[in-house]
Amino acid sequence: MTEILSSRAPAPGEIPVIDIAALRAGDAAGKRRVADEIGRACRGIGFFYVRGHGIDDVAMAKVFSEAKRFFSLPESEKNLISISHSMHNRGYVPLEGENLDPSRDPDLKECFNIGRDLAADDPDVVARRPFHGPNQWPELAGWRECMYGHYLRLKALCETLHVAFAIDLGLPEDFFAPLVDRPLATLRLLHYPPHPGVPDPKQLGCAPHTDYGNVTVLAQDGVEGLQVLTRDGGEWLDAPVIPGAFVCNIGDLLMRWTNDVYVSTPHRVINRSGRERYSMAFFHDPNDDAVIEGLPGCVSTDRPARYPVTTGGRYLADRLNATYAFRRNAEQKTA
């Protein structure tokens, strides 16, 4: 039990802190420098912090306050907008409603998912494209505007990070732009109650896993708990809260897209603080119809393609179906 829950602080530079202001400013040399730093992190630990992202502390404090307001609602009210009502991955996930590792007990967390907010007459909604349905919003004054404003800020940040990925991989800097302009991106609000007494390795706040999409951008409220597995799999590193910085990590789809040039990294959450922990993860997946196959420069005779071709939407559906029984049941009924 002790070994599985042990962790250590990262050594300086082990999870690098990268200022991306130059990437946002548009200077070619500055972009190249930041892209090189991000590329080294993606090839190495798979995690990095970003500063200079342009999202101010006041906006972040407001979003965290609104998240806490939602999670403080009665369970019966939150369940009215349950994710089980949506095949588009939107809505409320109750405590122990998700199990990222079937060999363990369900995760000790509750969540709320927000996707792109599309009008009923949007062509993708009318065409019933996967993950292009309506959001489910709680009846809280000003809540929708606050949260969707934050969603759009994080969407823009992820588009900027994709410029760095393209430069680092030797692609035109706008290579990913038409492939992530309608992303299957999810803003996930998370609430972790404190683990009672000594944490049980059978039930963690969030079991070890890798993320599904291209890149994840995480904000932590000041209560730590995120841990990252070292590349050799020998140790868990604490990912401390750095005020004003987001934690970013590579997901499985970008790993597939780069043919393992970038590698996703297992991580987990254990809330030992004795306090409530709140965080916000922005999971940036590509467009539904984006074809995911080895990128130019990542596949060669010496490095053949390691994964079958898929699409952003199909891959996300497959991963979510493995997580939620209600999705599997619905797909079986329509098969």
Side-chain angles (χ1 to χ4, degrees):
M1 181 181 297
T2 301
E3 182 178 356
I4 193 172
L5 294 182
S6 64
S7 61
R8 66 169 174 83
E14 201 164 7
I15 304 178
V17 182
I18 303 172
D19 190 320
I20 65 168
L23 183 65
R24 298 171 52 239
D27 173 77
K31 286 182 177 181
R32 175 79 259 178
R33 175 179 54 77
V34 174
D36 287 347
E37 291 184 58
I38 289 176
R40 283 195 296 273
C42 294
R43 289 172 169 82
I45 187 66
F47 270 74
F48 55 95
Y49 292 87
V50 294
R51 284 176 165 159
H53 44 70
I55 300 176
D56 65 60
D57 293 342
V58 174
M60 287 305 309
K62 174 65 173 174
V63 176
F64 270 114
S65 175
E66 291 298 311
K68 293 174 184 178
R69 183 159 71 119
F70 170 75
F71 285 122
S72 69
L73 292 173
E75 197 74 12
S76 58
E77 191 169 338
K78 290 183 286 189
N79 279 326
L80 292 174
I81 47 177
S82 167
I83 196 170
S84 64
H85 302 154
S86 170
M87 287 298 287
H88 303 289
N89 197 35
R90 289 151 160 83
Y92 174 64
V93 181
L95 193 68
E96 301 185 328
E98 189 171 88
N99 195 340
L100 291 175
D101 181 351
S103 70
R104 302 172 190 263
D105 293 340
D107 295 351
L108 196 61
K109 68 178 189 289
E110 59 178 335
C111 321
F112 188 82
N113 288 5
I114 300 165
R116 277 200 308 141
D117 208 22
L118 303 173
D121 61 352
D122 183 280
D124 287 335
V125 175
V126 174
R128 296 181 178 273
R129 294 180 70 91
F131 306 111
H132 289 78
N135 280 303
Q136 301 191 83
W137 297 106
E139 295 184 3
L140 296 172
W143 203 87
R144 176 178 182 171
E145 294 75 14
C146 175
M147 289 301 170
Y148 200 62
H150 189 54
Y151 180 102
L152 294 176
R153 290 191 290 270
L154 292 174
K155 176 177 176 290
L157 172 57
C158 288
E159 289 167 354
T160 299
L161 292 177
H162 277 77
V163 171
F165 300 149
I167 294 171
D168 176 66
L169 294 166
L171 302 167
E173 68 174 54
D174 62 351
F175 176 88
F176 289 106
L179 303 169
V180 299
D181 60 337
R182 296 175 290 104
L184 303 182
T186 300
L187 173 60
R188 167 166 268 204
L189 315 179
L190 296 123
H191 169 226
Y192 298 88
H195 283 81
V198 177
D200 183 348
K202 293 181 179 179
Q203 185 178 49
L204 305 182
C206 192
H209 67 286
T210 54
D211 292 339
Y212 307 156
N214 278 7
V215 63
T216 301
V217 176
L218 177 76
Q220 305 181 81
D221 71 336
V223 177
E224 298 180 355
L226 175 64
Q227 297 175 346
V228 178
L229 192 63
T230 56
R231 185 60 76 208
D232 63 7
E235 292 184 288
W236 288 99
L237 304 178
D238 292 321
V241 176
I242 299 179
F246 291 111
V247 189
C248 302
N249 64 276
I250 296 307
D252 294 342
L253 264 186
L254 193 54
M255 181 173 76
R256 294 172 69 105
W257 226 340
T258 63
N259 203 33
D260 290 356
V261 172
Y262 294 171
V263 182
S264 58
T265 302
H267 48 285
R268 67 185 186 183
V269 174
I270 303 176
N271 182 14
R272 292 189 177 95
S273 68
R275 295 182 289 156
E276 309 292 308
R277 180 180 187 268
Y278 297 88
S279 65
M280 298 179 197
F282 189 78
F283 300 107
H284 192 278
D285 292 57
N287 295 356
D288 167 45
D289 56 0
V291 176
I292 311 300
E293 58 184 333
L295 292 168
C298 297
V299 177
S300 66
T301 54
D302 296 329
R303 190 186 185 92
R306 302 179 180 185
Y307 302 98
V309 177
T310 187
T311 63
R314 183 65 262 164
Y315 187 77
L316 180 60
D318 289 344
R319 295 296 296 269
L320 291 174
N321 290 349
T323 301
Y324 296 111
F326 80 87
R327 291 187 55 87
R328 294 193 296 275
N329 295 336
E331 288 227 340
Q332 289 169 2
K333 289 177 181 178
T334 59

